[in-house]
Structures are given as structure tokens and as C-alpha cells.
Amino acid sequence: MADPGHRRIEIGLVLQGGGALGAYEWGAVTALIDRIEAARSEGHAVALRGVTGVSIGAITAACLVGSTSLADARRRLSGLWADLTLHVPPLTPPAVARDLALFGLPGFYGPRADVWDILAWTALYDTRPLLGTLNRHVDFEALNGSRTAFVVTAVDVETGRLTRFRNAAGACPPVRDAGSCRAEDRAVTIGPEHVLASGSLAPQFPWTIIDGRRYWDGGLVDNTPLGDAIDALSADPATERLLVVMNLYPLRANRPANMGQVLDRVHELSFGNRLRQDRAAAERVNGMLRTIDALAALAEAEGRPLPPALGAQVERFARLKLVDILDIDFQDRGPPGEAGFDDENGLRDFSARTVERRRAAGYALAEARPGPVFSGAPSDTAFRSRLMSE
């Protein structure tokens, strides 16, 4: 462990997709930026090593990595969400303000004009406005040249394969097994089309064509790309590592009372963070790894060298990373009146009042949960897990 007086800290950030719920991530990412700046001002070496995202999380990730500094990222995120917010007259009823997004969101998507061809439609909206928004708020030159790994995912419509679009820093690490880094997962020059592909959620939005392939939203396959954020972290034993995972979807909920609530609940369970389900398995793996460490140390102390094949396996396990995982779980959100907005239609609520409410709630929740790395002590909101970089 690094000297508490001058610590080296690496952070990997995972941003889920969730439509208008991404305003929570905006607030939480801003709080994380403030934490990093505060830690650096105290003399700690804090590096944002990797950011992965899906859909609205990919858009936020692009703003964060596609900036020249943390202060610049803060400004770009504010500008982005100003363009994603639907402004309506002050006395507009909340449900009406929410549902106006059905007619389009100027900085994001708009209604299709080719109504005469409706029988051939494969999507309901035109998402070209988002390309302009991304070009205004993301410095793609900075993103592609960043030392922070940037990875967003999309699914190939025809093959069903999940594809990762990576900048150079997010390229497949050399420790992967031979052949496991597919050609479509290698580093590319990221442009707005790659981010749009990650957010092309069918059937609302059309697929995005890149190099002749058609892509839909990566959240259809995996809404929480953990592995690539973990890969971005080093295995340096003197470095503290923190994986911050933004959970937009609640694990617990009331029993659905109608079909709309049933569909909402199915969506929550389909797009929620699988990490929550894997904690027991992670603890079992931890126990196995501790046993391997203890047996290898015992054999070495007794002067009994391990057979070469077994020694190679032990060395491989020794490369596993000890990572602090901090869930920023928006299930714990709850400013007054929030339940009235996070209904089955809440994913499209880009109204100014709701966006600001969610931003403030996300900031407050993330600011209140610094995690073991920032606090210097174990946190009840995180658990330590050795995770394999492969």
C-alpha cells in the first residue's frame, strides 16, 4: 500500500446507459471530478485511467475523456446537458413536460419526415442531431490522444456480437490470451459516429453504420462494461485502484400493479448492473486466491519449489489486481417527489426540472460516498475483490 502521506491512486469509471437517467451520472461524475481535484491539491497522484460507457453513459464518457482538463470536462458536461435538456414554459405540468420528448429533443433526436415510407421504418426517430451535439461538446482530438482509456460498446445488428470502440489508450492489453482481441475490438480513431452507435437503442433509434456494419446500443447485450475499465488499471502493488460503477437501475422495487409497471420492471432487471449479483461469487474467488497465496508462500518457506507448470499458474494468479469497487447506486436516490418522475416513462424525462433534480441527487450521493481510496479507510459501500485482467 502506498504511503498515506503521498498516495498513487488509479480510477476506472463505468457509466451505464439509461436515457434521461443519465442526468444522475452527470451529477455524480462532477462530484468525482471535485474529489480528484481535491486529492491532487493534497499532494496525491490521482489518475483517471479508464472510462467505459454505454448509450447515455457513452455520451458522458466522451465529454469527460474528450477534454483537456478536469475543469474543461466540467464545463463540457454542463454544456452537453444544456443541449440535452428540454425547456418548457414554467407552468407546464410535469407529465406534459416529460411527454413532450415524444416529439423530439433538439440536441438529441427528432421525428422522421418520411412518413410516406412508414411501413419500411426500422426506427421511430432521426438521431442525426446528436452528431452535431457531440461535435460541439467533445474534443475528439483530445479523446483520441488521451492517456485515459476510452471504451464504448455497441452490438452488431446482424452478427449479434458486442463490439468495443477504443481509443489508443484503451487498446486490448498484451496480457490477453492470443486471439482474444478481435479485429473489431482494436483501437480506432473515435468519432461522433462511434458514440452514437453505442446509443442507438432500437426500436426508438436507428442503427448506426460504421465501416459497412450496422450497430445498435451496446446495453442490449451488456449495460455495464466492467472488464475494460478493470483492464485499464495497472497491476502496480504500490498503487491503489478504485473502480467506480454508476448504477442507474434499481435492484429492489415495489410489486408491479399494471402492465406499464411490469414493462418498466423488466427493463430495470434487463439493464441493471450484474455486479450486484456477482458479489457472492467474487468472495468465493477471493477465498480461493488467498488459499493459493498461502500455499505458495508455505512451499517457498519450506524450500520446496513448485513444479514449473504449477509455478506458472501461481505467477498468473499473482498478476490479478486488487481493486476497490465503489457502487454509486442511484437506487438510493430519493429527493422529495422523485418517485413521481421515475416511473415507466422516466427514461425520456429530459425536462429541465427533472434533469436538475437528478443532477443534484447524483452529485449529493457520489459526494457522500468517497469510497475507501479517497477516505483512506474501508467503506461499507465497497468491497475488495481481486479481478483478473484478461
Side-chain angles (χ1 to χ4, degrees):
M1 187 65 66
D3 180 356
H6 184 74
R7 300 154 67 193
R8 293 204 301 273
I9 302 170
E10 294 180 351
I11 298 172
L13 176 62
V14 182
L15 299 168
Q16 285 188 338
L21 298 179
Y24 288 114
E25 291 182 321
W26 170 30
V29 168
T30 304
L32 181 62
I33 289 173
D34 291 349
R35 288 278 183 180
I36 293 173
E37 288 180 332
R40 287 177 177 174
S41 71
E42 295 172 357
H44 305 302
V46 185
L48 185 62
R49 289 294 300 268
V51 182
T52 65
V54 180
S55 198
I56 195 68
I59 296 170
T60 300
C63 252
L64 178 59
V65 182
S67 60
T68 57
S69 66
L70 291 178
D72 185 40
R74 190 186 288 108
R75 289 191 296 269
R76 289 178 181 276
L77 285 167
S78 295
L80 168 73
W81 277 93
D83 275 358
L84 296 182
T85 298
L86 186 61
H87 296 278
V88 299
L91 298 180
T92 304
V96 175
R98 175 200 65 201
D99 291 342
L100 283 175
L102 290 170
F103 300 97
L105 192 61
F108 198 158
Y109 58 90
R112 295 182 57 157
D114 57 336
V115 292
W116 60 87
D117 198 31
I118 192 170
L119 294 180
W121 283 11
T122 55
L124 301 177
Y125 295 99
D126 178 358
T127 52
R128 284 177 293 182
L130 182 58
L131 294 174
T133 298
L134 289 168
N135 275 317
R136 282 193 299 277
H137 299 296
V138 178
D139 183 337
F140 283 98
E141 183 178 354
L143 188 156
N144 285 294
S146 176
R147 297 176 65 182
T148 298
F150 172 85
V151 184
V152 295
T153 61
V155 61
D156 188 303
V157 173
E158 294 162 280
T159 68
R161 299 180 74 173
L162 188 68
T163 298
R164 295 165 176 83
F165 298 120
R166 314 166 181 269
N167 67 356
C172 290
V175 297
R176 288 178 181 268
D177 295 332
S180 68
C181 186
R182 300 172 298 153
E184 60 265 39
D185 284 342
R186 296 196 176 102
V188 298
T189 300
I190 300 292
E193 68 277 9
H194 298 97
V195 182
L196 176 60
S198 184
S200 297
L201 182 62
Q204 297 94 323
F205 301 149
W207 53 59
T208 298
I209 300 176
I210 299 175
D211 295 333
R213 305 302 305 174
R214 292 165 174 79
Y215 294 98
W216 274 335
D217 191 308
L220 294 170
V221 175
D222 182 3
N223 201 39
T224 315
L226 298 170
D228 296 290
I230 295 167
D231 282 344
L233 301 173
S234 76
D236 179 3
T239 296
E240 300 170 71
R241 289 167 291 274
L242 178 65
L243 184 68
V244 180
V245 185
M246 305 284 183
N247 294 305
L248 291 177
Y249 293 93
L251 180 63
R252 300 181 300 276
N254 294 328
R255 183 178 61 195
N258 54 52
M259 186 56 69
Q261 292 176 8
V262 167
L263 294 175
D264 183 41
R265 185 62 179 147
V266 169
H267 183 87
E268 290 172 347
L269 295 174
S270 299
F271 284 82
N273 181 7
R274 296 189 184 118
L275 180 65
R276 293 170 173 146
Q277 314 294 347
D278 293 340
R279 293 196 177 200
E283 290 304 326
R284 286 195 294 271
V285 171
N286 283 348
M288 178 188 71
L289 294 172
R290 284 192 293 267
T291 301
I292 291 172
D293 286 345
L295 290 174
L298 181 62
E300 182 179 355
E302 294 182 356
R304 300 168 60 183
L306 296 175
L310 183 56
Q313 287 291 334
V314 171
E315 183 180 354
R316 178 170 178 263
F317 282 124
R319 292 198 301 266
L320 305 189
K321 300 169 184 174
L322 188 61
V323 179
D324 284 306
I325 302 180
L326 176 63
D327 285 324
I328 307 297
D329 196 334
F330 299 105
Q331 175 172 267
D332 297 330
R333 61 185 178 259
E338 182 64 39
F341 290 85
D342 277 4
D343 57 13
E344 61 269 20
N345 303 308
L347 294 174
R348 67 168 181 263
D349 193 349
F350 286 90
S351 64
R353 180 166 59 178
T354 299
V355 166
E356 174 54 27
R357 180 178 297 176
R358 288 171 172 169
R359 183 210 62 78
Y363 186 97
L365 182 58
E367 199 276 336
R369 293 187 176 180
V373 168
F374 284 115
S375 65
S379 168
D380 60 3
T381 63
F383 66 97
R384 297 182 69 77
S385 177
R386 270 188 166 179
L387 297 166
M388 190 175 302
S389 174
E390 66 174 21

